[in-house]
Amino acid sequence: QVQLVESGGGLVQPGGSARLSCVASGFTFSRYSIIWVRKAPGKDLERVSTITPGGTVGYSSAVKGRFTISRSNGQDAVYLQMRNLKPEDTGVYYCAKCNSDLVTCEYFDVRGPGTQVTVSS
């Protein structure tokens, strides 16, 4: 059974940092790209960042230059280092398995339960 579990969220002050983790199981992790998406209150699900098995990365314009995605194929884990956080980064962050090994991640299926990130003073 494919499973992904996120952790690392919480309350962060504007300008602060946080690191999210995503641990995967139930599939051959090293064959698939992984994507981070987020859901803010009243907004649609938003793509944040993608990483391929080989380490090619992509970011949305909203987070480029502030967020860094990485992965460990040996530990079946993906990380999202977030810096200079803004109130508009508030939301539930999910990691999800893409249907390919491409950075475009045309489609993603299984995602974790999510972790809340709140950026507020």
Side-chain angles (χ1 to χ4, degrees):
Q1 182 181 1
V2 176
Q3 286 189 322
L4 300 103
V5 180
E6 305 90 346
S7 62
L11 177 63
V12 185
Q13 290 192 338
S17 300
R19 185 177 189 244
L20 305 183
S21 299
C22 167
V23 177
S25 62
F27 64 101
T28 306
F29 183 80
S30 59
R31 291 185 180 177
Y32 294 91
S33 295
I34 302 294
I35 187 170
W36 283 98
V37 297
R38 66 187 180 187
K39 180 71 170 68
K43 295 186 178 180
D44 293 335
L45 195 67
E46 177 187 8
R47 291 169 173 253
V48 174
S49 183
T50 307
I51 187 166
T52 69
T56 300
V57 300
Y59 299 97
S60 70
S61 58
V63 308
K64 196 170 186 178
R66 300 187 297 121
F67 290 13
T68 302
I69 190 172
S70 61
R71 70 188 285 163
S72 168
N73 289 334
Q75 295 184 331
D76 291 0
V78 175
Y79 308 98
L80 188 68
Q81 178 68 51
M82 307 184 293
R83 298 182 175 85
N84 190 21
L85 283 161
K86 305 175 181 180
E88 51 264 43
D89 294 316
T90 294
V92 180
Y93 284 69
Y94 304 91
C95 62
K97 171 183 163 291
C98 301
N99 69 327
S100 72
D101 60 357
L102 303 176
V103 73
T104 50
C105 190
E106 297 283 336
Y107 175 76
F108 51 91
D109 41 26
V110 179
R111 66 184 188 191
T115 185
Q116 175 72 44
V117 174
T118 301
V119 184
S120 175
S121 55

